[in-house]
Every structure is written in C-alpha cells, then in structure tokens.
Amino acid sequence: MANITAQMVKELREMTGAGMMDCKSALNETNGDIEAAVDLLRKKGLSKAAKKAGRVAAEGLVGIFTEGTKAAVVEVNSETDFVARNDHFQGLVKLIAHVALKTGDNVDAILAAPATSGGTVADAIASSIATIGENQSLRRASVLSVTDGVVGSYVHNAIDPGLGKIGVLVALESTGDKAELAALGRMVAMHVAAASPLALDAAGLDPAVVAREKAILAEKNAGKPENVIAKIVESGIKTYAKEVCLLDQLYIHDGGKTVAQALKEAEGKVGAPIKLTAFTRFALGEGIEKVENDFAAEVAAQAGLKS
C-alpha cells in the first residue's frame, strides 16, 4: 500500500474541493494515484464542491446554540432558500453552532476545529456542498457569555428550534431569578430583532457612522451661522443616538419607556440589579450583494440566441 502523505491529501483537496477524509479514503483506494483519486471522487459526486465555490451564497440559515451562561450564533449561507429546508443542511448549521460555542467567533478557527461527523468543520461543509449540490459557507459567528446571569436569545422566522432568518443574543448580568431573567432576555432579544440597534449606547457607536451623520446634518443646514449649525448637529446626534442605541430606544413591548427603563423596572421581578452588557443580531444575507439573473436572457444565451 502506498504511503499517503498530508501533502497528497492537501493537493487532492485543492483539485476537487472534497473533504479531507474523503480525499484520504480515495487515495487509499487508488493506491496513491492522484489522477485516479480525482476520477473516483468525481464518480462519487464529491468533487462538485470546488466548482460551486465561486457561486454567490446569500440564502441559508442563522443558527443559535446555548449552553449554561454562554451562547453562540452563526450564519451559514447557501445559494437558494430551498436548501434551508433540507434536513442535512439544518444539521450542518446546528453542528457549526455547537462548535462555535466551544471555539469562539473566529471563522477560520471554527472551520479548522474538529466536527462530530469526523474531519474538520471545513470538511463537513465541503461534504454538504457535494451532497446537496449548492455552494455553502460559514460567513460569521458570535459568542456571548455572562459571569452570572443569562444570555437570552430569539430566532425570527424559525423553521426548527434555534434555526431561522434572524438570530439575536442578549447578555444580561444579574444574580437574580434565572427563569425571570431568561424570559426578560427573550423579550429584549425580540426587541433587538425588530429595532435593529447599531450599538448598546452612544459610546459604542462607530465613529465613522457618527461622522457621516454629522456631515449630513451640517449639509442640510448649510448657510446658517457656524455656531447655529454646531448646536443643530449636537442636538441631531443625540436624537440619532436615541433611535439607534439599544438602551435608549423605545421598548417595542411598551412604547412608554426605553429599554433601559424597562430593565430597571424588571429588577423588582428578577430580585436583583440587571446589566445589559452586550448583544448580537445576525440577519441572514445582510450586506451580501445578490446576483439577479435575467432568466430569459440566460435561456437565450444557452440556446445560442442573441437577446
């Protein structure tokens, strides 16, 4: 039997896009003949992954996994919404969320981490691509934890527990009643899903975002005295912060109070002070430019006709 080296496995993976274990197995079956191994993987349908890797994947699922005082949310993309209803793909997203909880939010570290199905998470994704026939990718991940309290969560448009189109995590530090705190965390997470805050408070806003808002306010009031513009901009930024900062937003469950006020009021039921320390909101496909295909033109092109 030929000596199968790591370099041979790596070369075959680069040529086919198949999983590490599949490549190693194919090399063993072909006694180390890489070309024969390529043909074998093609026959098994496992070399499709590489060909599909360049296609836009803007659909898929957001997955959440919670354990104790820690939770992870991941976004795994596919090319079509149809794949999100595939049991195999749903299992892949759950697997990745489990791994992220232990590994952290670095995508490269998650991809390199061992998967329960064997090989690495990257191998599991390549295998899923070959099985389903669509490009898939882990886009991002986030992990939140608390020292004492709960990480509340909410999944919008859930198609299975912990899987949906929007996933939110909210970290609440408190020594109070954990059941009450978990219920509150879910309510706040629902608010985050609906209100899309940009930061926890004004101090957390991206300076570039603040600068852009200031420039817009100044431009709108061009021609007025500089001291007047300065006051208008200052007032406008405060108003903007109330609209986009979580603690200052009007609570969707009670428009008469802010989120910060709602948390303060909830301390009586929880039985201890509550501090909202962080949140994460993942909306499927946000920021990805989807390719809009002209179906008629595509058919005409394949038929060799001019549009």
Side-chain angles (χ1 to χ4, degrees):
M1 179 178 288
N3 179 33
I4 308 303
T5 66
Q7 180 58 38
M8 292 168 67
V9 174
K10 180 176 182 292
E11 183 178 347
L12 185 57
R13 283 192 68 186
E14 291 173 349
M15 292 173 68
T16 64
M20 180 181 69
M21 298 306 293
D22 291 319
C23 288
K24 187 174 181 181
S25 177
L27 286 167
N28 280 325
E29 287 186 50
T30 58
N31 201 33
D33 187 327
I34 289 183
E35 291 301 323
V38 170
D39 291 342
L40 179 60
L41 289 170
R42 289 181 63 193
K43 290 174 184 176
K44 291 182 176 181
L46 296 174
S47 66
K48 296 177 181 179
K51 295 180 181 179
K52 301 178 187 296
R55 305 207 304 226
V56 175
E59 299 294 342
L61 286 170
V62 171
I64 286 177
F65 180 64
T66 302
E67 189 172 75
T69 56
K70 195 174 183 181
V73 57
V74 300
E75 179 183 351
V76 184
N77 298 128
S78 61
E79 292 179 53
T80 65
D81 181 59
F82 178 76
V83 171
R85 298 188 291 275
N86 182 290
D87 290 341
H88 183 92
F89 182 74
Q90 291 178 18
L92 174 69
V93 178
K94 290 178 180 179
L95 179 153
I96 294 174
H98 278 67
V99 173
L101 189 75
K102 297 179 175 61
T103 306
D105 55 16
N106 183 280
V107 170
D108 290 336
I110 295 170
L111 292 174
T116 53
S117 55
T120 65
V121 170
D123 293 329
I125 293 174
S127 177
S128 182
I129 293 172
T131 299
I132 296 175
E134 280 195 14
N135 187 26
Q136 298 156 50
S137 62
L138 169 61
R139 183 186 181 198
R140 52 183 172 165
S142 177
V143 178
L144 295 186
S145 64
V146 292
T147 302
D148 190 358
V150 302
V151 178
S153 65
Y154 172 69
V155 175
H156 189 62
N157 285 340
I159 62 171
D160 204 51
L163 299 176
K165 301 296 185 182
I166 298 176
V168 177
L169 300 180
V170 173
L172 298 176
E173 291 278 2
S174 178
T175 58
D177 183 275
K178 297 304 184 285
E180 290 289 350
L181 204 57
L184 175 64
R186 176 175 170 77
M187 295 289 279
V188 176
M190 290 175 69
H191 169 95
V192 173
S196 303
L198 298 181
L200 196 61
D201 53 29
L205 283 172
D206 183 344
V209 171
V210 175
R212 184 171 67 247
E213 290 301 317
K214 286 183 175 180
I216 291 171
L217 287 167
E219 181 66 27
K220 283 182 178 179
N221 293 278
K224 296 179 181 178
E226 287 190 14
N227 64 321
V228 173
I229 293 177
K231 289 181 180 179
I232 292 174
V233 169
E234 182 182 0
S235 175
I237 289 299
K238 288 180 180 178
T239 300
Y240 175 72
K242 289 180 180 179
E243 294 173 350
V244 301
C245 294
L246 176 54
L247 292 173
D248 293 325
Q249 287 180 326
L250 291 177
Y251 195 37
I252 64 165
H253 304 292
D254 185 348
K257 59 175 70 78
T258 64
V259 172
Q261 291 169 336
L263 290 172
K264 188 65 179 178
E265 186 178 285
E267 290 180 352
K269 185 178 289 187
V270 171
I274 302 168
K275 184 177 182 181
L276 201 170
T277 58
F279 74 91
T280 298
R281 180 185 187 275
F282 280 2
L284 181 67
E286 60 187 349
I288 299 177
E289 185 176 348
K290 299 183 182 181
V291 177
E292 298 294 338
N293 293 321
D294 183 333
F295 184 68
E298 185 178 322
V299 172
Q302 290 183 6
L305 303 173
K306 293 184 178 179
S307 57

